[in-house]
Amino acid sequence: MDPLTPMITTNPFDDDKLREECGIFGVSGADTASAIVALGLHALQHRGQEAAGITSWDGHDFHTHRAMGHVAGNFDRDEVIRGLPGGSACGHVRYSTTGETSLRNVQPLYAELNSGGFAVAHNGNISNAMKVRRELIRRGSIFQSTSDTEVIIHLVATSSYRTLLDKFIDALKQVEGAYSLIVMTPEGMIACRDPLGIRPLVMGKLGDTIMFASETVAFDVVGAEYIRSIDPGELVIVTNSGEIRSHRPFGEVHPRPCIFEHVYFSRPDSIVDGSSVYSVRKAIGAQLAIENPVEADYVIPVPDSGVPAAIGYAQESGIPFELGIIRSHYIGRTFIQPGDKVRHLGVKLKHNANRALIQGKKIVLIDDSIVRGTTSLKIVQMMREAGAAEVHMRIASPPTKHSCFYGVDTPERTKLLAHKLDVGGMQDFIHADSLSFISIDGLYKALGEAKRADGRPQYCDACFTGDYPTTLTDQDDVVVTNQLELLAERVA
């Protein structure tokens, strides 16, 4: 992602969800690695829909193809795959950021270092990237993109250590924040997670071919076997001869993987850190029903992300599960850019009420989160216009009060509805008869923990609690700069 500008969403019909920034997939030891990577990226398309790229290694040269848009259409053509020969390849899908989206920011990023070619695909966000970048530029580095990922390349290139592995480890020890990385060099492939394991990364196998991916669904689509998650702080190296080595250069770690992967980001058919996402979301819905019961005729999910939690809520509460909202799957991110006059109709293009079912009924709507609140408002309004007698809303996560700085597309904090209003105020804003959220301890319980640990939480839940697991160097620098500028204005 771009650390120099804030992030916004670009789809006017879907501007009220948190979005994962990236998905990565790597293959080592295959006859046509790039073709396998292209298939895997299809399964990870939900993690990034703005651009995609693949880099391959044929034993002598690196080959890269990057393009704006979806994987389909860009990597489904034979001539593109033929242009990416070799037994190793890595790929990346990403979302856009504020400002002009540039091909130079599309990953994998590639550079020629003294040790040879170096390609990297990154999921996450380096929270001290701007500070490191300024220092590198001061020392003479010349950047080709505005991506935080590029600082890793420059840190490797300027490291005084002798071996490439030691240079890479040296670089990682200078950055903060979240990263799951797949790196390709002439020596082989490296997959690693940051010491907190904030972003996911898993390992799979198909015959003698080793694979790494953001989610296990990428293995399913290519027929590979899921082996295990890459541990937080672990580097797994696959040499060109097929040897696999594990390095743990960070010593003892205290993992805090992103809790929102289980709530929303990952596909429900994925396994994240050993847990079925679908099963966890059903458990969240059941816990939500225990904590926040309501008398209703039907439990209705806000599609598609609310479906598993709604099933769990219905099973626990005994209230029938029904599809009261029908989603159109044909509204893409490149649909018309409407003017203000028709912008408010966007939600009806994507969701439509099942009027015959809900008319005269008391309904409980289940969704994964409320961000700005605009979609929830429109959904509740749609239910009332369709004749619902009562509309109750239940949310399968605690209130989202804080921004994410670890690779998630989050509005600035002042635009988060839960930052501005308490639950009662949020209920009034969306015009629901009642509104309730799962508690933070309830969320942990659904994930198999007794409760949220005091002092050392088991997950990164900063978007709910404000308890960030790392320092936020760049963010702190911005705050200090703003304070100094304000002081200077007052003095003047």
Side-chain angles (χ1 to χ4, degrees):
M1 56 165 288
D2 184 346
L4 304 181
T5 51
M7 292 178 291
I8 61 168
T9 55
T10 59
N11 188 346
F13 300 125
D14 193 18
D15 64 349
D16 198 22
K17 289 290 183 184
L18 301 181
R19 289 185 178 82
E20 181 58 79
E21 283 299 306
C22 308
I24 58 178
F25 189 44
V27 172
S28 177
D31 291 336
T32 54
S34 60
I36 298 174
V37 170
L39 288 173
L41 291 180
H42 275 285
L44 299 175
Q45 188 74 85
H46 61 287
R47 299 183 74 91
Q49 300 182 36
E50 185 66 28
I54 296 176
T55 296
S56 69
W57 162 250
D58 66 6
H60 300 283
D61 298 304
F62 286 87
H63 309 269
T64 296
H65 182 81
R66 300 181 297 167
M68 308 308 301
H70 289 187
V71 178
N74 285 315
F75 291 96
D76 290 350
R77 304 191 304 274
D78 289 341
E79 62 270 23
V80 172
I81 299 302
R82 285 196 301 268
L84 296 167
S88 297
C90 66
H92 187 274
V93 289
R94 78 184 290 267
Y95 269 118
S96 64
T97 57
T98 292
E100 181 182 358
T101 301
S102 172
L103 192 61
R104 64 177 179 162
N105 287 328
V106 180
Q107 297 187 29
L109 297 184
Y110 176 79
E112 287 284 348
L113 307 184
N114 187 50
S115 56
F118 187 94
V120 58
H122 172 206
N123 174 210
N125 184 50
I126 306 302
S127 57
N128 65 335
M130 287 191 290
K131 181 176 182 179
V132 174
R133 182 188 181 100
R134 287 194 297 267
E135 176 60 22
L136 286 165
I137 291 174
R138 188 188 67 80
R139 287 156 43 189
S141 292
I142 300 174
F143 280 74
Q144 300 299 314
S145 76
T146 58
S147 169
D148 60 338
T149 310
E150 193 177 355
V151 303
I152 296 174
I153 296 176
H154 286 275
L155 289 172
V156 172
T158 57
S159 174
S160 60
Y161 282 82
R162 186 177 61 85
T163 69
L164 179 60
L165 178 60
D166 287 338
K167 290 175 182 288
F168 183 53
I169 292 171
D170 180 39
L172 296 183
K173 289 185 175 181
Q174 296 181 64
V175 298
E176 304 166 356
Y179 55 83
S180 283
L181 300 169
I182 296 175
V183 172
M184 291 173 55
T185 76
E187 299 176 11
M189 181 173 286
I190 307 172
C192 68
R193 289 174 81 182
D194 67 75
L196 294 173
I198 297 176
R199 301 264 70 85
L201 191 63
V202 291
M203 182 176 180
K205 187 176 183 180
L206 179 61
D208 294 329
T209 300
I210 300 299
M211 303 179 186
F212 303 98
S214 294
E215 294 184 37
T216 58
V217 289
F219 301 151
D220 296 337
V221 76
V222 300
E225 173 190 2
Y226 164 59
I227 298 175
R228 66 177 179 89
S229 292
I230 304 302
D231 291 334
E234 180 185 19
L235 280 72
V236 176
I237 300 169
V238 183
T239 67
N240 292 327
S241 62
E243 180 187 1
I244 302 173
R245 302 196 305 267
S246 175
H247 291 259
R248 301 175 187 270
F250 297 99
E252 184 181 5
V253 297
H254 303 286
R256 285 186 62 179
C258 174
I259 203 167
F260 224 94
E261 290 284 351
H262 296 279
V263 173
Y264 174 69
F265 294 142
S266 296
R267 266 179 43 168
D269 46 340
S270 284
I271 296 172
V272 173
D273 289 319
S275 298
S276 161
V277 175
Y278 180 76
S279 297
V280 167
R281 289 180 186 166
K282 283 182 62 180
I284 292 172
Q287 183 65 28
L288 182 62
I290 293 170
E291 293 184 358
N292 302 290
V294 63
E295 291 186 6
D297 297 302
Y298 298 130
V299 173
I300 293 174
V302 177
D304 287 321
S305 57
V307 172
I311 293 173
Y313 193 102
Q315 291 176 347
E316 178 64 33
S317 66
I319 303 171
F321 171 94
E322 293 286 354
L323 296 179
I325 302 171
I326 307 302
R327 180 188 173 190
S328 170
H329 291 270
Y330 303 99
I331 301 299
R333 293 176 62 83
T334 56
F335 194 71
I336 59 170
Q337 296 293 318
D340 292 338
K341 185 176 181 179
V342 297
R343 184 177 295 271
H344 69 284
L345 298 176
V347 71
K348 291 188 176 182
L349 286 171
K350 187 172 183 180
H351 300 113
N352 193 44
N354 188 351
R355 183 181 297 269
L357 174 76
I358 66 176
Q359 191 165 17
K361 302 297 183 181
K362 301 176 182 179
I363 62 171
V364 51
L365 293 171
I366 309 294
D367 206 355
D368 59 271
S369 61
I370 292 180
V371 183
R372 293 178 175 89
T374 53
T375 295
S376 299
L377 170 63
K378 294 172 185 176
I379 291 289
V380 170
Q381 180 182 354
M382 181 191 299
M383 296 296 98
R384 295 201 184 281
E385 290 175 352
E390 295 179 9
V391 182
H392 304 272
M393 196 133 197
R394 298 293 180 267
I395 306 300
S397 63
T400 303
K401 297 180 178 181
H402 305 272
S403 298
C404 177
F405 300 98
Y406 301 118
V408 175
D409 184 355
T410 312
E412 61 184 61
R413 190 180 180 192
T414 57
K415 296 182 180 179
L416 296 170
L417 191 65
H419 171 71
K420 298 184 288 186
L421 302 171
D422 61 13
V423 174
M426 296 174 73
Q427 176 182 320
D428 293 340
F429 178 85
I430 67 173
H431 301 310
D433 290 288
S434 70
L435 170 67
S436 297
F437 296 78
I438 194 171
S439 67
I440 188 67
D441 282 342
L443 181 58
Y444 271 82
K445 185 174 181 179
L447 283 158
E449 306 288 348
K451 63 177 182 178
R452 185 183 192 269
D454 294 330
R456 185 175 288 172
Q458 303 93 314
Y459 292 89
C460 177
D461 53 24
C463 53
F464 308 132
T465 65
D467 184 358
Y468 294 98
T470 74
T471 54
L472 301 173
T473 299
D474 290 343
Q475 183 68 16
D476 293 341
D477 285 351
V478 169
V479 171
V480 171
T481 299
N482 290 342
Q483 289 174 342
L484 290 174
E485 290 177 351
L486 181 61
L487 180 61
E489 290 176 1
R490 289 175 178 174
V491 171

